[in-house]
């Protein structure tokens, strides 16, 4: 007898400030709503985060000039085309990305990749939570309260509370919060860019960055966009089936591109003028006194907007992994792990070093996974058997005892290539030195995609109604 998804299947409207009842169960046509412009505001708002300022600064730290680093920022922003395209599957199936990826890896084979994605998404939530906490702590200091561990702990509590409240309410509230916070953050970050950009040093560096500098800059810049690959359908699954697929792709791409590039360039400009070891303090030193409190509010707000979507998606991810709880209950697990990770990053380790190491390794997981998922979507022409995606045994995506050999082989090939060519604080692949110090981790996506196309041309075919 064929089993089906154990996550609760519910009905109910998707409304602001009401706890969302749906999880990974397919959204019925009668409950779908919204338009492609909602996707723009989601990706625009969630990427108005100070992390991109740090990424831009890191590109300069790797030896790139202002114009070289700016070119990397722009090319990195173009990767949001893949993020926008990945949302097409949500419109077609009405379910989450990590449910849809069962088609590529098999119902059981999807589990290991799902676990890895959950771990890394929580890691990225921790990164943004820590950035927001440090900004709020600095704000307390400006007010005259330097409470040491006490002020930092309070700042962490406030940051986590703001993130958790919105993510707990669910999809409609997430969309609402991202849009309205985007209005405020866009004005503030535009002012930041105007204040920082004129003083940028656009002269060429004394020494060329070399292959290592260029490749590391690209890895760090693309780590953010690639980390979203397991999420886009989470936010398009409520859109009506009649929504233009072209509009979904372009809206998502434009939203992420504009915000990530603007903030990345701000980081590049700041790094040519100030010591960015402590990025928040470095940028703050370039700003007039009257703007500094607003700047700290921008850092906090941007961190929260980004953490909201990663925390929300992590709750759906837990349902994919088999947690038999509602989405609202599952999110408590993700919030608790995020809190523990943030405590460790703030009180036990050097945050800047941890951030660099994390971003350098992030792409090892997301690049190959994304290559397989996008290749599968293209081969199937985004046409899935929605019922089979939620079948626990048997069905179109059961393959061999629940494992899809083609998908898993392609993923392992991409992971192996990325690991061999990765150059990070925590791991340096054996092929880095022969390649002249170049980090080719990103090409793991290309490797996994090509291997998947070669192996899955007969199994990854469009489903017919």
């Amino acid at each position: 007898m064929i089993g089906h998804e154990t996550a609760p299947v519910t009905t109910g409207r998707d409304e602001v400030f009401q706890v969302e009842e749906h999880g990974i169960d397919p959204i019925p046509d009668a409950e779908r709503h919204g338009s492609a412009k909602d996707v723009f505001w989601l990706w625009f708002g969630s990427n108005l985060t100070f992390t991109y300022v740090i990424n831009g600064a890191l590109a300069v730290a790797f030896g790139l000039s202002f114009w070289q680093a700016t070119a990397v920022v722009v090319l990195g922003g173009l990767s949001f085309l893949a993020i926008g395209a990945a949302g097409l599957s949500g419109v077609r199936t009405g379910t989450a990305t990590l449910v849809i990826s069962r088609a590529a890896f098999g119902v059981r084979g999807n589990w290991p990749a799902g676990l890895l994605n959950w771990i890394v998404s929580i890691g990225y939530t921790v990164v943004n939570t820590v950035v927001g906490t440090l900004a709020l702590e600095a704000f307390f200091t400006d007010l005259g309260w330097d409470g040491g561990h006490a002020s930092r702990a309070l700042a962490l509590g406030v940051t986590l509370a703001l993130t958790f409240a919105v993510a707990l309410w669910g999809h409609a509230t997430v969309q609402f919060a991202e849009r309205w916070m985007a209005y405020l953050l866009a004005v503030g970050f535009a002012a930041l860019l105007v204040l920082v950009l004129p003083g940028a040093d656009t002269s060429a560096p004394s020494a060329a960055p070399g292959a290592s500098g260029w490749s590391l800059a690209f890895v760090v810049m693309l780590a953010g966009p690639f980390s979203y690959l397991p999420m886009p359908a989470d936010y398009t699954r409520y859109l009506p089936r009649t929504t233009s697929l072209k509009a979904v792709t372009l809206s998502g791409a434009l939203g992420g591109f504009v915000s990530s590039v603007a903030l990345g360039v701000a980081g590049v400009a700041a790094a040519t003028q100030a010591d960015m070891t402590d990025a928040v303090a470095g940028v703050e030193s370039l700003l007039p006194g009257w703007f500094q409190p607003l700047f700290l509010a921008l850092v906090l707000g941007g961190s929260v907007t980004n953490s909201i979507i990663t925390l929300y998606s992590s709750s759906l991810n837990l349902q994919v992994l088999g947690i038999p709880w509602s989405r609202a209950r599952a999110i408590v697990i993700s919030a608790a792990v995020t809190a523990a990770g943030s405590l460790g990053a703030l009180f036990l380790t050097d945050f800047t070093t941890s951030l660099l190491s994390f971003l350098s390794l992030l792409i090892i997981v997301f690049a190959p996974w994304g290559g397989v998922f996008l290749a599968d979507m293209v081969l199937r022409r985004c046409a899935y058997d929605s019922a089979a995606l939620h079948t626990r045994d048997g069905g179109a995506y059961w393959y061999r005892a629940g494992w899809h050999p083609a998908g898993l082989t392609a993923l392992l090939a991409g992971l192996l290539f990325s690991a061999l060519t990765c150059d990070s604080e925590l791991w340096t692949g054996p092929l880095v030195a022969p390649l002249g110090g170049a980090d080719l981790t990103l090409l793991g996506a290309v490797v996994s995609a090509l291997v998947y196309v070669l192996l899955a041309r007969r199994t990854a075919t469009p489903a017919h109604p």
Side-chain angles (χ1 to χ4, degrees):
M1 181 176 179
I2 295 177
H4 293 276
E5 199 72 59
T6 58
V9 179
T10 58
T11 58
R13 290 179 296 177
D14 183 39
E15 296 183 349
V16 177
F17 302 130
Q18 292 189 16
V19 176
E20 178 190 6
E21 297 176 353
H22 284 293
I24 61 174
D25 52 297
I27 307 301
D29 287 346
E31 296 179 34
R32 295 200 185 194
H33 59 89
S35 65
K37 66 181 180 181
D38 297 331
V39 183
F40 168 86
W41 288 111
L42 175 87
W43 294 116
F44 178 71
S46 63
N47 285 285
L48 287 170
T49 172
F50 193 73
T51 303
Y52 286 105
V53 177
I54 299 175
N55 292 351
L58 287 174
V60 176
F62 293 139
L64 274 65
S65 70
F66 173 84
W67 292 113
Q68 290 170 336
T70 297
V72 172
V73 169
V74 172
L75 291 173
L78 290 174
S79 64
F80 276 97
L81 282 167
I83 308 304
L88 303 180
S89 55
V91 178
R92 291 283 179 85
T93 64
T95 192
T97 305
L98 284 170
V99 174
I100 301 165
S101 62
R102 289 169 174 169
F105 301 104
V107 175
R108 288 177 174 169
N110 188 60
W111 199 93
L115 178 61
L116 285 173
N117 281 320
W118 180 78
I119 292 171
V120 181
S121 66
I122 289 296
Y124 222 81
T125 307
V126 169
V127 168
N128 282 291
T129 299
V130 170
V131 171
T133 298
L134 294 176
L136 188 53
E137 182 187 22
F139 182 73
F140 290 155
T141 301
D142 290 347
L143 292 178
W145 180 43
D146 186 5
H149 286 345
S151 60
R152 178 167 289 190
L154 177 61
L156 174 59
V158 172
T159 305
L160 286 171
L162 291 172
T163 304
F164 178 72
V166 176
L168 176 66
W169 270 316
H171 177 266
T173 309
V174 169
Q175 296 273 18
F176 176 84
E178 293 291 349
R179 181 165 188 161
W180 285 98
M181 290 182 73
Y183 294 153
L184 300 174
L185 292 172
V187 174
F189 277 120
L192 173 68
L193 190 60
V194 169
L195 292 170
V196 172
L197 192 57
D201 179 3
T202 58
S203 61
S206 56
S212 176
W214 280 104
S215 60
L216 286 173
F218 272 110
V219 167
V220 169
M221 206 62 60
L222 288 166
F226 268 75
S227 71
Y228 295 131
L229 277 173
M231 303 180 192
D234 302 0
Y235 304 100
T236 57
R237 71 193 204 281
Y238 277 93
L239 293 178
R241 294 182 191 273
T242 55
T243 305
S244 167
L245 301 184
K246 179 180 178 181
V248 169
T249 300
L250 295 181
S251 294
L254 182 61
F257 177 85
V258 172
S259 49
S260 66
V261 169
L263 270 64
V265 171
V268 172
T272 65
Q273 306 170 65
D275 179 7
M276 294 289 282
T277 304
D278 182 341
V280 173
V283 174
E284 191 176 16
S285 68
L286 301 174
L287 302 173
W290 62 267
F291 190 79
Q292 290 177 3
L294 176 59
F295 163 68
L296 295 174
L298 290 173
V299 176
L300 173 61
S303 299
V304 169
T305 60
N306 194 266
S307 294
I308 285 170
I309 67 166
T310 53
L311 189 61
Y312 173 81
S313 287
S314 72
S315 65
L316 298 176
N317 196 339
L318 286 174
Q319 286 191 318
V320 174
L321 293 175
I323 299 295
W325 291 357
S326 67
R327 181 205 60 82
R329 290 181 64 192
I331 203 172
V332 175
I333 298 175
S334 294
V337 176
T338 298
S342 300
L343 284 168
L346 286 165
F347 294 101
L348 301 177
T349 64
D350 175 72
F351 176 62
T352 302
T353 301
S354 300
L355 174 67
L356 178 58
S357 301
F358 176 74
L359 291 178
S360 297
L361 286 175
L362 183 69
I363 210 73
I364 291 180
V365 176
F366 281 115
W369 186 93
V372 175
F373 178 77
L374 293 174
D376 181 76
M377 194 174 74
V378 171
L379 288 176
R380 298 182 192 278
R381 300 174 189 172
C382 209
Y384 299 91
D385 182 338
S386 296
L389 290 172
H390 296 271
T391 301
R392 288 189 292 112
D393 50 81
Y397 308 124
W398 190 245
Y399 304 112
R400 296 183 183 177
W403 304 79
H404 189 198
L408 295 171
T409 301
L411 177 62
L412 290 174
L415 285 170
L416 178 62
F417 179 89
S418 294
L420 290 174
T421 59
C422 174
D423 183 14
S424 74
E425 293 288 327
L426 298 178
W427 166 259
T428 299
L431 296 183
V432 172
L435 290 169
D439 185 330
L440 303 182
T441 315
L442 293 170
L443 294 181
V446 178
V447 170
S448 63
L450 290 176
V451 172
Y452 187 75
V453 169
L454 289 173
L455 297 179
R457 285 176 295 179
R458 294 182 179 179
T459 55
T461 57
H464 299 288

